[in-house]
Amino acid sequence: MSQKPSIPKGTRDFSPAEMLRRNHIFGIIRKNFSLCGYLPIETPAMENLSTLLGKYGEEGDRLIFRILNSGNFLADVAPETLSRADTSTVTQKISEKGLRYDLTVPFARYVVQHRDEITFPFRRYQIQPVWRADKPQKGRYREFFQCDVDVIGSDSLLNEAELVQIIDRVFKDLSINITVKINNRKILAGIAAIAGAADRITDITVAIDKLEKIGSDGVRQELLQRGIDSEAIARLEPVLGLSGSSVEKLLELKNIMAASAVGLQGIAEMEELLGYLALQPLRCAVEMDLSLARGLNYYTGTIIEVKAADLPFGSICGGGRYDDLTGIFGLPGVSGVGVSFGADRIYDVMLQLNLFPEQTGSSTGVLIINFGKEELPALMKIAGSLRESGIATELYPEPVRLRKQFSYADARMIPYVVIAGSNELAAGQATVKNMKTGEQIAVSLSALPSFIRKS
RNA sequence: GUGGUUGUAGCUCAGUUGGUUAGAGCGCCAGAUUGUGGAUCUGGAGGUCGCCGGUUCGAACCCGGUCUUCCACCCCA
């Protein structure tokens, strides 16, 4: 009995037309990565759960796909453990591997494991799928590709500036108008400190992150709900009311945060970065956004996020600096900074904005009509010589009616059809038909490749 | 994980208050045209109405469950 085939929720098949467009995106991203000297690496789809767990916060742990142990995975689990129905205890016993959740943590693991072979500062890029057990929505998939560029082993903010340059170039090449938002985790820490709630930095920043969405009153509500007392909220008022240009905001912040060493350092870093950014040619708008909070679980300095300017959409690229990511794996004091391009969201944005260049829809340049046994040796020879000169060529596999073969060329959008039946072959010629114009010209077999290459 | 939404031919969708044999457009196949595609005309194939169960004399339509799609929250690429 046959069953209706299907694929898991949140995953997708990619047809040839989609792959051509996806490869266009990957190609541009890869080109710009290597243009700045980054080198490719790959890591396994699955990692040990000990590598993955605890790196993304409680929410992140829940979204990691776990892989059931092979064989009799229940053999070592005590019956009473099972009957207690304690999911986390049982899971630990029956699963020790998981699908990677992002590319940054596997990269950190890689750096620690290969530290002896690596020359620092290490610049790598990595384009691979990641998996999240999230509920799928538009622009949110359970399997999607990230394109990560990171440099590890350098504290310099020049790296941040360079990443913004890469972002600018990639999206320029893709014709997507973007806004780059930058923030600094240390400024957020300073803000939390002046509120007298340094340990609540996550709650405070997540609330402030919603400033644009729910307004300042909404943020006050949100802060209360998250258990921040009203005194602390009152001390945050000057921050919520900041206005003016980035420079003006930073000046004001310096006063507000005079008592916070971290905060002042964050401001200094921000000023330095803005200074570097001013020194390089950028097409895109870069703005400081104090409400930007992401990846709080490991970012320690600069935070970067990119949004499409012409479309309300989730972020299509994001990243930041992490001072101690490798510390968890036993290599402390190595700072890294990187960003991740979300290829699937970029695809969705480009599709909606109609930004993909016209595709031929076919990689084939020539179809040779199959006339049957008699002509076959000559036709195969023609196919060989066309391919030899770099022309993508197909020979129709069945000697069926010409109507069918021409329909095939039409449907595949193959631009030229070579007709070489007994008549043509007797004269040492082939008829070349231009499928767009309908024009047909007799060409000698020896001149065929150069004739097609010229047209 | 919480709340909501969607599912009918390969695709996009109709389908009356539950009532005989579930339709259209596009696509597909065949012919008009035994060595010529896109246009036109003629004919044809294709559906367990997502799946399982229930209510009913009778279910594409009502109810429950489940899967899927999309959306909001959460979080994020």
Side-chain angles (χ1 to χ4, degrees):
Chain A
M1 181 156 155
S2 76
Q3 53 169 28
K4 218 179 224 172
S6 65
I7 53 176
K9 192 203 289 205
T11 65
R12 294 151 301 156
D13 288 326
F14 298 113
S15 59
E18 290 169 311
M19 280 312 295
L20 287 176
R21 293 195 289 254
R22 285 173 68 84
N23 286 339
H24 173 247
I25 294 174
F26 289 131
I28 284 175
I29 288 175
R30 193 173 285 121
K31 183 194 82 189
N32 280 292
F33 287 175
S34 42
L35 201 55
C36 288
Y38 291 81
L39 295 166
I41 71 161
E42 287 200 5
T43 63
M46 60 183 112
E47 292 276 352
N48 292 324
L49 279 179
S50 56
T51 301
L52 299 175
L53 292 176
K55 311 298 188 299
Y56 311 103
E58 209 177 305
E59 182 73 12
D61 283 0
R62 213 197 59 201
L63 297 178
I64 292 171
F65 276 107
R66 287 139 202 264
I67 297 170
L68 207 52
N69 291 345
S70 308
N72 186 1
F73 53 85
L74 285 180
D76 295 332
V77 187
E80 56 266 33
T81 309
L82 277 179
S83 60
R84 251 188 289 137
D86 175 357
T87 321
S88 71
T89 314
V90 176
T91 308
Q92 274 174 35
K93 298 264 183 195
I94 63 176
S95 167
E96 55 189 22
K97 296 179 292 297
L99 295 176
R100 64 166 168 254
Y101 176 90
D102 71 358
L103 300 178
T104 306
V105 166
F107 174 50
R109 193 222 81 226
Y110 175 94
V111 168
V112 174
Q113 245 182 284
H114 299 265
R115 61 181 114 173
D116 295 337
E117 328 156 8
I118 292 174
T119 307
F120 293 95
F122 181 43
R123 305 147 79 76
R124 76 86 231 225
Y125 73 86
Q126 186 170 358
I127 298 176
Q128 288 189 275
V130 302
W131 294 269
R132 295 185 188 175
D134 215 337
K135 210 169 209 173
Q137 284 181 35
K138 195 171 219 82
R140 169 172 301 191
Y141 307 101
R142 288 186 144 179
E143 178 185 62
F144 60 96
F145 272 74
Q146 289 194 326
C147 313
D148 274 35
V149 244
D150 292 76
V151 42
I152 198 159
S154 164
D155 294 326
S156 170
L157 289 161
L158 278 176
N159 298 308
E160 269 92 332
E162 183 180 271
L163 290 172
V164 173
Q165 172 100 108
I166 289 175
I167 289 169
D168 187 54
R169 299 184 69 101
V170 165
F171 289 110
K172 184 200 74 185
D173 288 354
L174 293 171
S175 316
I176 301 175
N177 296 316
I178 51 156
T179 306
V180 177
K181 297 184 171 192
I182 54 174
N183 196 7
N184 193 298
R185 167 70 181 255
K186 293 185 178 110
I187 296 180
L188 296 175
I191 290 172
I194 58 151
D199 54 327
R200 308 300 301 277
I201 177 168
T202 305
D203 286 308
I204 291 174
T205 50
V206 166
I208 293 179
D209 186 30
K210 295 181 182 170
L211 190 57
E212 207 173 305
K213 216 169 181 176
I214 59 181
S216 55
D217 282 336
V219 171
R220 287 183 197 101
Q221 284 282 324
E222 180 85 19
L223 286 165
L224 273 176
Q225 263 175 32
R226 288 176 177 268
I228 311 294
D229 58 72
S230 42
E231 260 179 62
I233 296 176
R235 282 195 289 269
L236 287 174
E237 286 300 332
V239 178
L240 294 181
L242 279 177
S243 63
S245 68
S246 301
V247 180
E248 289 164 347
K249 282 183 187 167
L250 284 172
L251 272 176
E252 187 131 351
L253 266 180
K254 259 187 218 170
N255 292 326
I256 301 173
M257 259 189 259
S260 166
V262 224
L264 289 177
Q265 199 194 332
I267 292 169
E269 287 180 9
M270 180 67 82
E271 285 174 334
E272 187 182 343
L273 175 54
L274 290 175
Y276 290 147
L277 290 179
L279 292 176
Q280 53 189 16
L282 289 178
R283 287 169 48 113
C284 65
V286 179
E287 59 185 54
M288 182 180 81
D289 184 351
L290 295 178
S291 69
L292 174 62
R294 54 183 37 252
L296 286 171
N297 287 292
Y298 48 74
Y299 292 141
T300 52
T302 307
I303 305 171
I304 300 171
E305 179 176 271
V306 180
K307 288 194 162 176
D310 305 322
L311 210 60
F313 212 83
S315 69
I316 51 179
C317 177
R321 179 170 286 276
Y322 37 90
D323 277 336
D324 205 29
L325 193 62
T326 56
I328 317 166
F329 300 120
L331 184 64
V334 180
S335 184
V337 59
V339 293
S340 177
F341 292 76
D344 304 79
R345 285 189 176 174
I346 291 171
Y347 182 97
D348 290 345
V349 166
M350 290 182 69
L351 201 62
Q352 275 192 53
L353 295 176
N354 223 327
L355 294 178
F356 284 109
E358 279 295 316
Q359 299 279 347
T360 51
S362 176
S363 53
T364 303
V366 175
L367 176 74
I368 300 172
I369 296 291
N370 186 334
F371 281 96
K373 258 191 204 141
E374 291 289 304
E375 294 82 356
L376 195 56
L379 298 179
M380 290 177 75
K381 206 172 153 193
I382 294 172
S385 70
L386 287 173
R387 287 168 182 152
E388 199 63 41
S389 55
I391 298 163
T393 303
E394 287 184 51
L395 170 60
Y396 198 88
E398 323 274 349
V400 293
R401 306 201 337 260
L402 293 210
R403 191 154 90 91
K404 177 123 182 132
Q405 302 195 39
F406 273 92
S407 305
Y408 173 80
D410 191 44
R412 289 282 317 281
M413 291 187 273
I414 297 172
Y416 294 97
V417 172
V418 165
I419 306 139
S422 47
N423 300 342
E424 285 90 348
L425 291 175
Q429 289 186 325
T431 302
V432 177
K433 174 160 182 170
N434 180 327
M435 291 297 280
K436 208 162 193 174
T437 61
E439 197 182 5
Q440 295 194 176
I441 298 175
V443 179
S444 80
L445 290 182
S446 56
L448 199 53
S450 64
F451 175 81
I452 287 174
R453 224 167 338 139
K454 263 186 290 174
S455 20

